[in-house]
Amino acid sequence: MKVVENKRLHDRYCLLRLTSGSRLPEMVPGQFVEARVENTFLRRPISVNYLDRKANELWLLIRIAGEGTRRLSEYEAGETVNLILPLGNGFTAPQKVVDAKPLLVGGGVGVAPLLYLGDVLKSIGFEPVFLLGARTKDDILQLGHFEKIGKTFVTTEDGSSGEKGFVTDHSVLRAARFDRIYTCGPKPMMVAVAKYARATDTPCEVSLENMMACGIGACLCCVEKTVKGNVCVCTDGPVFNINQLTWQI
């Protein structure tokens, strides 16, 4: 795919907008791609951040964490990126639109798959609510894009934006009742959100961020223990209902 724009959002994050000479395939929110990086053996798994059908663009929100993602952050407009896509299984929408209130909870770069999910939920009649958490205000990513889709709440650990604390401390969780929760981010955050969902008897799906080196279930790097045994996150996930996981059983 050809790079349309590589925009640095932060010293540790960039947004890679890509296009293709042919129409992009259908992609479900929560799926991911595997990007090939020059001079490295393994591809890098990146969540689908957004799919712009009108512009025929795929957006990838990248956290610069090592040599592979650093190289991806340096691609320039006009260069090409080799991707395998789409991979994995995505989020599922609630069965009924009437009065359904979905809450989408993201932390750090874990907000990435929630932008596309929120856009799809809105397109089929839902009113998604976002709850985004980060260490400081500078780490809140794509806030303007989220606010265009639905009501958006923010928490920061240092109190520099929104309410101070973690996402599970936010007052919206006490003030409103939600019918379904979707979350992606650091595992401790997702475990805390899952605990809240269980306590309130709310259906909840999480997008795991295990290392997915191959994306096709061959390398076994991403194995996760579930109630039915070990599975590969890249092929059986990365999205799971919390009832499938053994985090709090």
Side-chain angles (χ1 to χ4, degrees):
M1 298 184 67
K2 183 180 290 186
V3 177
V4 175
E5 180 186 38
N6 192 346
K7 183 178 181 180
R8 184 61 66 93
L9 305 179
H10 185 284
D11 60 351
R12 298 192 305 276
Y13 301 99
C14 70
L15 178 64
L16 200 60
R17 292 170 46 216
L18 304 162
T19 192
S20 173
S22 58
R23 182 173 174 80
L24 292 173
E26 292 298 324
M27 299 182 210
V28 177
Q31 288 186 305
F32 66 99
V33 308
E34 287 276 359
R36 190 173 71 190
V37 181
E38 295 177 4
N39 302 319
T40 62
F41 178 67
L42 299 174
R43 289 175 178 262
R44 298 303 190 273
I46 308 290
S47 296
V48 173
N49 176 224
Y50 189 70
L51 190 63
D52 186 336
R53 280 295 179 194
K54 291 183 178 180
N56 199 45
E57 286 185 3
L58 168 67
W59 295 8
L60 302 178
L61 182 61
I62 299 170
R63 179 171 69 92
I64 304 165
E67 180 61 24
T69 47
R70 183 196 62 78
R71 175 66 188 97
L72 289 173
S73 75
E74 295 173 345
Y75 274 92
E76 298 180 354
E79 290 190 276
T80 57
V81 183
N82 183 291
L83 303 175
I84 300 174
L85 77 157
L87 295 169
N89 298 305
F91 296 101
T92 56
Q95 295 299 308
K96 297 180 180 180
V97 175
V98 179
D99 296 327
K101 296 180 180 179
L103 175 68
L104 286 61
V105 185
V109 77
V111 303
L114 303 184
L115 183 66
Y116 183 34
L117 173 61
D119 187 67
V120 169
L121 289 174
K122 184 176 180 179
S123 72
I124 57 178
F126 294 98
E127 295 184 5
V129 174
F130 299 101
L131 177 54
L132 311 179
R135 292 181 180 178
T136 72
K137 64 179 181 180
D138 293 332
D139 295 318
I140 297 293
L141 304 171
Q142 299 182 298
L143 181 60
H145 290 291
F146 284 105
E147 290 176 332
K148 290 179 181 179
I149 296 173
K151 187 173 293 185
T152 304
F153 299 92
V154 169
T155 66
T156 50
E157 293 179 28
D158 64 358
S160 56
S161 180
E163 294 187 12
K164 184 176 182 179
F166 302 115
V167 289
T168 47
D169 299 323
H170 200 284
S171 59
V172 70
L173 297 180
R174 299 185 295 274
R177 167 71 182 178
F178 298 95
D179 301 292
R180 196 173 187 91
I181 298 174
Y182 305 92
T183 185
C184 183
K187 185 173 180 179
M189 184 209 78
M190 291 193 291
V191 170
V193 172
K195 183 177 181 180
Y196 166 83
R198 288 185 188 278
T200 56
D201 195 27
T202 307
C204 179
E205 290 184 341
V206 300
S207 179
L208 302 188
E209 296 187 318
N210 300 32
M211 173 56 71
M212 296 178 283
C214 72
I216 57 174
C219 69
L220 304 182
C221 287
C222 63
V223 169
E224 178 77 18
K225 185 178 180 180
T226 72
V227 295
K228 294 185 177 180
N230 291 337
V231 300
C232 288
V233 170
C234 65
T235 52
D236 292 275
V239 177
F240 294 88
N241 187 291
I242 59 171
N243 293 330
Q244 296 174 270
L245 303 175
T246 60
W247 291 350
Q248 296 166 328
I249 293 177

